Amino acid sequence: MKCSNCNADIRDDAIYCPHCGSKVGESGSTASLNIETVPTEKYINLGSFDISKIMKLIKNPYESLFLDGEKDLNYGILGFISSIIGLYLWFLGIIHIITADVNTGTFHLVSININYFQVLIASILIVLFISLSPYVISLWLGTIKISFRRAFLLNGSVQYIPAILFILCAVLAFIDIYVSFAFFLITFITYMIFIIMFNCELFKIKDSKKIFVIFASVTIYLVLFKLALNQILTYIMLNISNFF
């Protein structure tokens, strides 16, 4: 059936429109009011999570479209936190270089002196920019408008798979740093493409404007990734020279 607010196709059993967040069956003016204003008597229970719902989001990220923007925001927050932790662990993994002891033939870790708080801040900024920059661009060019609250929920709820893959990249960094880099690049590029296309579909971006959204988002991503990678390589090179 069709949403009465944005006219998008939705499931027959949907309670809320997965595209604009309005309640099914409400008129356009009333639905728009519900998107922009959140009743003060409703709250977010951050301590309550349904594991089966998280598993559904892992199996199919598009299940996030059917989350309630008022009651399920905790799943979006948890998704962002998971992705940030995964990326942070990968940064720490590659910062600790596996080197071979020529004399004994054994392996040991060389710990690099870094500011862990700066790495954490970098991880937070990268995840948020990756997810929210397409939102800003899509909000500008999209044919429908979605509140920031709902966009935050939807973009956060699709973060569980990237979080798992980032953690796997971190584990690989302690085994083979080159394999870890390769796997991370594949994960990172796939992550970028998915977030961009997800927001394009979410905001019903016209095909003629999708190229601009993709170009602008990828440009932002590459600049951020280059800055982060330069910082990491600087730390590594300085500590390698001190080690030898």
Side-chain angles (χ1 to χ4, degrees), residues 54-175:
I54 294 177
M55 294 303 298
K56 286 182 179 179
L57 292 171
I58 293 174
K59 293 178 180 178
N60 180 16
Y62 280 92
E63 284 290 330
S64 62
L65 294 172
F66 304 101
L67 294 176
D68 188 324
E70 296 175 358
K71 299 178 181 178
D72 295 328
L73 189 61
N74 50 347
Y75 293 97
I77 295 173
L78 179 62
F80 276 119
I81 292 175
S82 302
S83 196
I84 290 169
I85 291 175
L87 186 59
Y88 179 67
L89 292 176
W90 180 76
F91 280 145
L92 296 185
I94 63 171
I95 285 171
H96 290 78
I97 306 170
I98 300 177
T99 58
D101 189 326
V102 178
N103 295 326
T104 63
T106 59
F107 291 89
H108 61 277
L109 294 177
V110 179
S111 180
I112 294 179
N113 296 320
I114 62 170
N115 188 323
Y116 291 96
F117 180 73
Q118 289 181 352
V119 176
L120 177 61
I121 294 299
S123 302
I124 294 172
L125 291 178
I126 288 174
V127 169
L128 291 181
F129 270 106
I130 284 177
S131 300
L132 300 182
S133 52
Y135 162 74
V136 175
I137 299 171
S138 299
L139 184 64
W140 172 36
L141 298 174
T143 57
I144 63 174
K145 303 300 179 184
I146 297 176
S147 67
F148 176 80
R149 180 190 182 93
R150 180 153 185 82
F152 184 89
L153 164 65
L154 296 177
N155 279 281
S157 299
V158 300
Q159 301 283 333
Y160 294 101
I161 293 179
I164 294 172
L165 294 177
F166 286 147
I167 293 173
L168 180 57
C169 290
V171 174
L172 289 174
F174 289 93
I175 301 174

Side-chain angles (χ1 to χ4, degrees):
M1 63 180 178
K2 299 282 187 180
C3 172
S4 58
N5 182 47
C6 67
N7 204 35
D9 291 323
I10 57 177
R11 295 199 310 204
D12 293 337
D13 60 345
I15 300 176
Y16 292 90
C17 174
H19 302 284
C20 67
S22 62
K23 192 171 183 179
V24 174
E26 293 183 338
S27 62
S29 58
T30 307
S32 299
L33 180 63
N34 286 342
I35 295 173
E36 299 300 329
T37 60
V38 179
T40 55
E41 69 270 17
K42 294 191 176 182
Y43 64 93
I44 304 166
N45 186 359
L46 296 179
S48 176
F49 292 95
D50 185 345
I51 300 300
S52 63
K53 191 174 291 187
I54 294 177
M55 294 303 298
K56 286 182 179 179
L57 292 171
I58 293 174
K59 293 178 180 178
N60 180 16
Y62 280 92
E63 284 290 330
S64 62
L65 294 172
F66 304 101
L67 294 176
D68 188 324
E70 296 175 358
K71 299 178 181 178
D72 295 328
L73 189 61
N74 50 347
Y75 293 97
I77 295 173
L78 179 62
F80 276 119
I81 292 175
S82 302
S83 196
I84 290 169
I85 291 175
L87 186 59
Y88 179 67
L89 292 176
W90 180 76
F91 280 145
L92 296 185
I94 63 171
I95 285 171
H96 290 78
I97 306 170
I98 300 177
T99 58
D101 189 326
V102 178
N103 295 326
T104 63
T106 59
F107 291 89
H108 61 277
L109 294 177
V110 179
S111 180
I112 294 179
N113 296 320
I114 62 170
N115 188 323
Y116 291 96
F117 180 73
Q118 289 181 352
V119 176
L120 177 61
I121 294 299
S123 302
I124 294 172
L125 291 178
I126 288 174
V127 169
L128 291 181
F129 270 106
I130 284 177
S131 300
L132 300 182
S133 52
Y135 162 74
V136 175
I137 299 171
S138 299
L139 184 64
W140 172 36
L141 298 174
T143 57
I144 63 174
K145 303 300 179 184
I146 297 176
S147 67
F148 176 80
R149 180 190 182 93
R150 180 153 185 82
F152 184 89
L153 164 65
L154 296 177
N155 279 281
S157 299
V158 300
Q159 301 283 333
Y160 294 101
I161 293 179
I164 294 172
L165 294 177
F166 286 147
I167 293 173
L168 180 57
C169 290
V171 174
L172 289 174
F174 289 93
I175 301 174
D176 190 316
I177 196 167
Y178 299 107
V179 173
S180 177
F181 262 111
F183 191 76
F184 176 79
L185 286 176
I186 295 173
T187 300
F188 194 76
I189 292 172
T190 305
Y191 178 35
M192 290 191 301
I193 294 173
F194 175 78
I195 292 294
I196 294 171
M197 300 311 297
F198 180 74
N199 279 275
C200 284
E201 292 298 324
L202 194 62
F203 286 87
K204 300 297 182 183
I205 301 292
K206 295 180 179 178
D207 292 338
S208 58
K209 296 180 179 179
K210 282 184 180 179
I211 298 298
F212 177 78
V213 175
I214 294 172
F215 176 78
S217 300
V218 169
T219 300
I220 295 173
Y221 294 164
L222 292 178
V223 169
L224 289 173
F225 183 69
K226 185 177 183 298
L227 291 174
L229 191 59
N230 284 343
Q231 285 293 104
I232 293 170
L233 293 177
T234 299
Y235 280 122
I236 291 176
M237 296 307 296
L238 287 175
N239 283 270
I240 286 179
S241 61
N242 295 335
F243 177 74
F244 289 104

